[in-house]
Amino acid sequence: MSHVFPTYNRLGIELVSGQGTKVQDQHGKSYLDFISGIAVCNLGHVPTVVKEAVEEQLGKLWHVSNLFPITKQEEVATLLASATGLDAVFFCNSGAEANEAAIKLARKHTGKSKILTFKQSFHGRTFATMSATGQEKIHSGFGPLLETFEYLPFNDETALSHIVEKDTAAIMVEVIQGEGGVNPGTLTFLKAVEEKCRELGALLIIDEVQTGIGRTGKPFAYQHFDLDPDIVTAAKGLGSGFPVGAMIGKKELIPSFSPGTHGSTFGGNPLAMAAAKATVETIFDGSFEKEVQQKSTYFINKLKKELQEYPIVQEVKGIGFMIGILFDQEVNDIIYELRQNGLLTLPAGTHVIRLLPPLTVTNDELDQAVKIVANTVKELQAASVS
């Protein structure tokens, strides 16, 4: 028997090596990896620039307490502040921890307790972030949740307009719901969320754990919508596979996170910061971002063109390299067939296949992926008709 808790439905293959977009399993079979560790390996597998930075730090120092100054924290914080226009960063180890920090900070700073989130959202699996998540399947079996969260319909301005409670500390939103189905927010809805925050005297928290660090062709996805968040959370792609998360906030929030109010033993340690610095210096470059925008537009348009003739495909959606293909059926069998054909993908809900290639993917690899998807869908469409 395995001595690991079965909290994941493991696939039948183990990935043992990789470079860039390609990975190999224990049998030597090669795949195009369009999961990227769930939007983590934004620079591909084992990127040289990150590997060299971590190797250099390995020879110096691995870990010290946050009781000591850590120069690389200041350097990475400066990069994140510059990219967002915000002012201060708290470092942790994951997206859930970053969202936990945001929830704590919003409640402490405002003196209020209620936080609004949205149905089909996903913010993590700790108790507070599970409570913030608007999906019943995440809540099931854990008893009473924290009572200070309320879930509104996503992309529904009318429902939002009915909220009048002044005891609202924050509204927490993903500009593109990831786990919930790759659902982009509309400009009018997201602007209405921002306006409602100002009306209620609440903070606007944008969860960029999956959408941030260049995934959509900008440093953060909210920048496509010209939003002005009070807090932004990030993780996943921030460390190229090293566990690192960050909560970024405005300067007026700084006094509310004074010494002793929050902490993280491993958050922002020198190894994680070495990986994060090399990652964001590469991705937060104008030419890199422009290339991501060009390649992702090419990919989405080609997917739409190649899949438009198949009725089982209902929509290709997303922004940048956060892409969903909506089917008229559950997608687990389709994902299995794609894997058999050499392309790794994952679901977003029951009817959406999520594509999250490394941002460094080549046009040739994108063409290969489109061919695999189109051929697989063609076979499934034929089987459904016969």
Side-chain angles (χ1 to χ4, degrees), residues 13-82:
I13 60 172
E14 180 181 0
L15 303 179
V16 296
S17 64
Q19 190 72 47
T21 310
K22 296 179 180 176
V23 291
Q24 291 76 41
D25 68 17
Q26 75 272 36
H27 305 298
K29 182 175 178 178
S30 183
Y31 305 83
L32 287 173
D33 183 5
F34 277 43
I35 298 176
S36 302
I38 313 183
V40 167
C41 302
N42 285 5
L43 292 177
H45 292 277
V46 198
T48 299
V49 65
V50 180
K51 179 183 177 184
E52 290 177 348
V54 172
E55 285 177 342
E56 180 182 354
Q57 187 62 47
L58 277 169
K60 295 179 178 179
L61 192 67
W62 294 12
H63 178 80
V64 294
S65 168
N66 275 302
L67 295 173
F68 296 92
I70 300 174
T71 297
K72 276 193 170 61
Q73 279 191 17
E74 295 291 343
E75 293 170 346
V76 177
T78 298
L79 291 167
L80 292 172
S82 176

Side-chain angles (χ1 to χ4, degrees), residues 159-318:
L160 191 66
S161 68
H162 293 157
I163 299 297
V164 296
E165 294 93 339
K166 295 295 185 179
D167 188 37
T168 302
I171 302 179
M172 190 175 198
V173 64
E174 303 159 276
V175 294
I176 308 170
Q177 292 184 329
E179 300 292 329
V182 191
N183 304 316
T186 64
L187 175 61
T188 54
F189 169 73
L190 293 169
K191 282 294 188 181
V193 170
E194 182 178 65
E195 184 178 335
K196 179 59 67 171
C197 285
R198 307 307 174 228
E199 176 189 324
L200 298 175
L203 301 184
L204 174 58
I205 302 172
I206 298 184
D207 179 344
E208 292 266 6
V209 170
Q210 188 166 159
T211 52
I213 319 300
R215 172 60 45 188
T216 66
K218 289 184 180 291
F220 293 92
Y222 76 85
Q223 293 165 333
H224 291 281
F225 302 93
D226 193 31
L227 300 173
D228 180 26
D230 298 290
I231 297 174
V232 172
T233 57
K236 289 190 180 290
L238 181 55
S240 292
F242 281 79
V244 56
M247 181 200 68
I248 316 157
K250 289 183 174 179
K251 60 179 178 292
E252 52 263 35
L253 304 177
I254 293 173
S256 297
F257 250 25
S258 56
T261 55
H262 199 48
S264 173
T265 295
F266 297 108
N269 76 37
L271 281 179
M273 292 296 94
K277 183 183 178 185
T279 300
V280 297
E281 282 182 337
T282 303
I283 292 175
F284 292 173
D285 176 88
S287 60
F288 186 95
E289 293 166 8
K290 185 176 181 180
E291 188 175 339
V292 171
Q293 293 169 18
Q294 292 171 341
K295 289 188 297 186
S296 60
T297 299
Y298 169 80
F299 185 47
I300 291 172
N301 288 341
K302 192 157 189 177
L303 281 171
K304 288 179 177 179
K305 179 181 178 182
E306 294 297 323
L307 298 178
Q308 64 183 347
E309 63 182 282
Y310 303 111
I312 62 172
V313 177
Q314 297 187 321
E315 185 182 5
V316 177
K317 55 183 177 175

